[in-house]
Structures are given as structure tokens and as C-alpha cells.
Amino acid sequence: MTSKLFLVVLVALLLRIVPLMLTGMPYDNDSWYIHHDVEVLRVNPKARLLSSPDFDGYNNLWPSSILVPYITTLIVGKESLLATHLIGPLLDALSIIPFYALASRYSKKYAWLAALVVAASPGLVGIGVGLVKETIARPLFYATILAALKGGLAASILLGLGLALTHHLSSLTASLIIVLAFPTAWLVKTTSGSRSDTPRAIESTLIIALTALWLAYAGLPRLRGTVSLLDPALASLYIVALTSLIAAALPLIREKPGLLAAWLPEIIVLTLVAIAAKTGVPPGVQPLGISALYYSAPFLLLPYLSVYALARIKNEPSRRNPIIALTWLLVVSGAIAYLVFGGVPLGQSPAGRLANFLVPGSAILYAYSSQPRLLKAKALIILVLSILYVGALASNADPESYDLAYHQYEYSTCKLLSSHLEANTTVYADAKMRDLLYYLGPVKTRIPLPEPGHGLLVLYKENLVYGYKLDSNLRSGSPERIARLISRGSLVANNGESWIVLIRQ
């Protein structure tokens, strides 16, 4: 089994570093803010990480996400931007090891297949290529949940604190999964008599307390105005509703689920995927198109296999069941439902990030369901799709993630601009170029497309294909309009794939 785990980790690593090797540049918009803060700390190691205005004011509130790549910079050298960036994909790939240990608690035979699903999930690969808080935190996320289950005060304290100091969403998700495991286990025992693998009480309390303390200190002041105290309460209602639904359905599940029970939930999910691809879910959200196939691949057959996993939980009461995986899905699904359907401003963006947290819990249930043929076929399909997805990332062919891959031609154009303009000079750029220019400095950027006569505009070739990206959800300006801006303006710089245009009346 060790050889299979090694191969899965190798697959995870290759899928995450190939896009970087093909482009030769860091990946993901958010990575530039981490690189910026690392550079601040490198230039001035005495800078106060939590309070210095030289940092970006957000990522530095989770200091481990800056310290880890900073230490990497000290090892590989200050000029090795890409080498420093690789610590993110490397940690994300190595997180497969604690995940495998977690999945092995419930299915030693098929844990490697669950690990392969996680390693090759396109959504996790996409975020895993970047140097962001989530990738740095991923090994700690799995290890913290494992520590809560296995016990060990020292491990729980160290892992819980490390996770809290690295990524707010990961630490909060892990804490909620652990909390919900207790009432869910009671419900499962009441309705089916099954013995659940519940977390240890003392270790869980310590992990949750550390998360709450750091969120109260660093997270809530920064998120005030975008998150209210009412949001967690309303999200909890969605989670409770889903939990109640599972508890009510469990007594009705037979030893061998019928076709209707097994396939009806699957049909509902497939319908939602089709709607998301064509018109967007909820209405008004950018349709995913072919990208829906990539991002939904890990969840296809999830309802079907989950029904079989629930049947096993019910019908094998003496076997240790993965209640933690069930609460994993309930917590994340409930939070996503609230963000998407609860009218939360910008809710779709964090919902997309949260969807990645569904994959590991789903994979554990897949392994536990004892459907090896389906699981092997599913893992193979996901791997093939992920290879295609990696190619799409590197070539900017995916309309949903083209703005996350950076290329030398974009970097050289922005470097030219930043080296020739005075500090605080304002230029126009979309969300992708804004983030790169933030790292390069010292210019300031404005995102809306300029009206005639408003100055310098930075563009790249994907603007002529997909438009001008305002943020993670919105695009403005048709490719035709952007082409007209280029033709009517004065080209200040042009390398054939990106341009600096002086817009005039």
C-alpha cells in the first residue's frame, strides 16, 4: 500500500507543478499578495507581521502563511520567485499523506483510491498550483481532524494552533466539522444503533478554542462589514436542516438501496450541474460552460455512493463508521447553500472555494461505500479530466480560470510599466493585472475601463477573447470594445501578447 500512496502523491505533485513549469511564472491572483508580504519581510525582517502597514493588511493576519514561504526564500534565495512559489504546490501534494491516514481509518483497502480522487480533483489542483493560505494549510487541515479523532493533547494543540494561524476558512471548517460530529453521531446511534468514530472531547475543545480565539483576534476585525453575527446563525439553519434530512432518511434506507433511492439524488445533482453549465446557479451567476464538467467531476455519483455508505452505516452497527465524513459534507454543503441561496453579497466567490472542501469528505464516503468498480472508474475519469484541466490552465483555455495563470509576457509588460512610472501613478488594469502590479509596485491601479482621455491601460491577449475581468464573478467590456480601445489608442508597449495603451480622445 505504501507504493500506491507514493504514486498518488507523485501524481498530485506532477499535476500541481506542470502548469508552473509550462508558464514559468507563479499561479493564482492571491499568490502575488503572499509574495509581496514575503518580500516585505525579507527586506525588513523586523517588520511587525500583524500591524506593519507595509504588508497587505489581510494575509499577514494569518502569519504562518507568510512565514513558511519566507523561510523557503531564505533557503532558495531572494531571486528565485518561482522556487519560492513551489512550496505551496509541494505542501498541497504532501497533504495527501495525512488525508490517506484519515481515510484508512474507514477503508484500508480503498483509501488509496480516495486519496487519488483528492489528488486529481480539478478544483483542488487549480487551487493547489498557487501559493495561497489554503494550500499552505492543507496538510494541517487533514492532520488536525485526524488528531481530534485519534487523540493526543500535544498534537492537537500544535496542529490546531498552526491551522488557526495559517488559514481562517480551513480552521473554521475543521472546527465546525468536529463540532457537528457529536450531535450527528447521537442522531445516527438513535436511528440505527451504529457506532460512530467521534472526535475526542478534550482535544476537540482545544482545537475549537484556538480557532475561535484567533478568529476573534485577527479575523473578525478584518471581516467586519462583510460578515455579520447573523450570518453564522443563518448558515447553521441550513446545516441543521440537512442534518435532520439525513437523520430522517437513515431509517428508510434498506440494506441494498433500490434504484429510485440510489439514483434520484444523483439525478437532482446532475440537473443542477447542467443548469450551472448553461445558465448559472443561482440565476444571474456566470454560467460555467464546459468548466462545469471539470469542477463537478469529483461530485458525480456522490449521491449514489453516499446512499450505499449510509446503508452500510445502518446495517453494520458494530463497524466504526465515518461520521466525520458525513458531518464534513453537511457542514460544507450547508454553508454553500447559504452563500448561494441566502442572498449573501459576493456569496458565490467563497462558495466556489468551499466546494473544494467537499471533495475530501466525499472521497472518504466513496471508499467506505465498498463499490470498488465505480470508485476505480470514477478515479480514472477524474484523473483524465484533471490532465485536460492542467493543459487548459497552462494555455488559458478555461474561461473560468484563465485569469489565474500568469505568463512571462504579462510579467515583462507590467515590470516595464512599474519600472518607468513614479510611485502612486494611476494606471488602468483588470483584476488579473491589478494583482501582479500590486506585487511589482509602485503604481496604483484602477479596474473600470477608462473613458477616452483617461490615461494608461494594461491589456493582455485573453481580454480579446473573454473580456475585461472586474472581479472573480463579473466581466465588463466585450472583446470587440477592447479591440477598439487598442486600435484607437497609442501603443506605448507591445510584445504581441500584452499591451500598454495610452487612451486619448
Side-chain angles (χ1 to χ4, degrees), residues 407-461:
H407 299 265
Q408 289 286 351
Y409 59 82
E410 295 161 338
Y411 185 87
S412 61
T413 296
C414 289
K415 184 70 174 176
L416 176 68
L417 191 66
S418 67
S419 62
H420 285 79
L421 292 180
E422 296 180 358
N424 298 320
T425 302
T426 298
V427 299
Y428 291 88
D430 75 352
K432 177 179 180 177
M433 292 295 99
R434 172 202 60 192
D435 298 328
L436 175 53
L437 285 166
Y438 176 82
Y439 167 74
L440 292 171
V443 300
K444 289 184 176 180
T445 56
R446 292 184 63 185
I447 288 184
L449 279 168
E451 296 300 324
H454 274 248
L456 291 172
L457 171 64
V458 183
L459 296 168
Y460 53 100
K461 64 180 183 180

Side-chain angles (χ1 to χ4, degrees), residues 117-443:
V117 168
V118 172
S121 170
L124 289 175
V125 169
I127 194 73
V129 184
L131 178 62
V132 294
K133 297 189 295 296
E134 188 175 326
T135 58
I136 298 170
R138 189 99 62 198
L140 294 170
F141 176 73
Y142 299 138
T144 298
I145 294 175
L146 186 61
L149 291 167
K150 294 185 69 173
L153 290 177
S156 298
I157 291 171
L158 290 174
L159 291 168
L161 181 61
L163 185 59
L165 293 175
T166 306
H167 188 218
H168 52 305
L169 187 58
S170 295
S171 58
L172 180 59
T173 302
S175 295
L176 290 174
I177 289 169
I178 293 168
V179 167
L180 190 64
F182 292 99
T184 306
W186 177 81
L187 284 171
V188 168
K189 185 176 181 180
T190 301
T191 55
S192 68
S194 295
R195 180 173 68 92
S196 297
D197 186 25
T198 52
R200 305 290 183 91
I202 295 177
E203 286 83 350
S204 299
T205 302
L206 287 170
I207 292 168
I208 294 161
L210 289 168
T211 298
L213 286 172
W214 191 257
L215 281 175
Y217 175 74
L220 292 181
R222 179 62 176 80
L223 297 173
R224 187 177 290 122
T226 58
V227 177
S228 71
L229 292 176
L230 189 61
D231 289 320
L234 292 174
S236 298
L237 293 178
Y238 282 80
I239 296 170
V240 169
L242 287 173
T243 305
S244 302
L245 183 63
I246 294 296
L250 195 58
L252 304 176
I253 295 177
R254 296 180 295 181
E255 183 175 353
K256 289 187 177 180
L259 289 177
L260 181 62
W263 284 105
L264 181 60
E266 183 67 34
I267 292 170
I268 294 172
V269 170
L270 289 173
T271 301
L272 287 174
V273 170
I275 295 172
K278 190 173 180 66
T279 61
V281 176
V285 175
Q286 183 79 25
L288 291 177
I290 190 62
S291 301
L293 181 61
Y294 293 135
Y295 300 128
S296 65
F299 310 120
L300 299 177
L301 294 179
L302 169 59
Y304 178 82
L305 291 172
S306 296
V307 169
Y308 275 91
L310 288 172
R312 193 174 183 190
I313 289 173
K314 177 186 175 182
N315 297 306
E316 297 183 22
S318 62
R319 183 183 178 88
R320 182 168 62 186
N321 66 57
I323 200 69
I324 202 75
L326 189 58
T327 61
W328 204 317
L329 297 187
L330 291 171
V331 165
V332 180
S333 298
I336 291 173
Y338 172 63
L339 289 169
V340 173
F341 301 108
V344 181
L346 299 179
Q348 288 73 42
S349 181
R353 280 288 175 94
L354 267 175
N356 287 327
F357 284 88
L358 280 174
V359 178
S362 305
I364 292 173
L365 282 184
Y366 295 154
Y368 184 77
S369 67
S370 294
Q371 299 288 313
R373 290 183 180 178
L374 280 177
L375 184 54
K376 289 177 181 178
K378 182 180 180 65
L380 180 60
I381 291 170
I382 290 172
L383 180 59
V384 171
L385 285 173
S386 191
I387 293 171
L388 295 174
Y389 179 69
V390 164
L393 291 182
S395 62
N396 290 355
D398 177 25
E400 287 306 306
S401 61
Y402 74 90
D403 61 316
L404 300 179
Y406 288 83
H407 299 265
Q408 289 286 351
Y409 59 82
E410 295 161 338
Y411 185 87
S412 61
T413 296
C414 289
K415 184 70 174 176
L416 176 68
L417 191 66
S418 67
S419 62
H420 285 79
L421 292 180
E422 296 180 358
N424 298 320
T425 302
T426 298
V427 299
Y428 291 88
D430 75 352
K432 177 179 180 177
M433 292 295 99
R434 172 202 60 192
D435 298 328
L436 175 53
L437 285 166
Y438 176 82
Y439 167 74
L440 292 171
V443 300

Side-chain angles (χ1 to χ4, degrees), residues 66-77:
I66 308 301
L67 290 173
V68 170
Y70 169 67
I71 294 170
T72 306
T73 299
L74 297 180
I75 296 171
V76 302

Side-chain angles (χ1 to χ4, degrees), residues 409-411 413-414 417 427-430 432-434 437 447-450 456-464 467-469 476-479 481-487 489 491 493-503:
Y409 59 82
E410 295 161 338
Y411 185 87
T413 296
C414 289
L417 191 66
V427 299
Y428 291 88
D430 75 352
K432 177 179 180 177
M433 292 295 99
R434 172 202 60 192
L437 285 166
I447 288 184
L449 279 168
L456 291 172
L457 171 64
V458 183
L459 296 168
Y460 53 100
K461 64 180 183 180
E462 279 72 34
N463 290 140
L464 299 175
Y468 186 91
K469 199 148 191 174
S476 174
S478 66
R481 181 189 173 192
I482 293 167
R484 287 197 300 271
L485 283 173
I486 295 174
S487 64
L491 284 176
N494 175 16
N495 61 20
E497 295 176 297
S498 57
W499 308 271
I500 303 172
V501 184
L502 177 61
I503 305 299

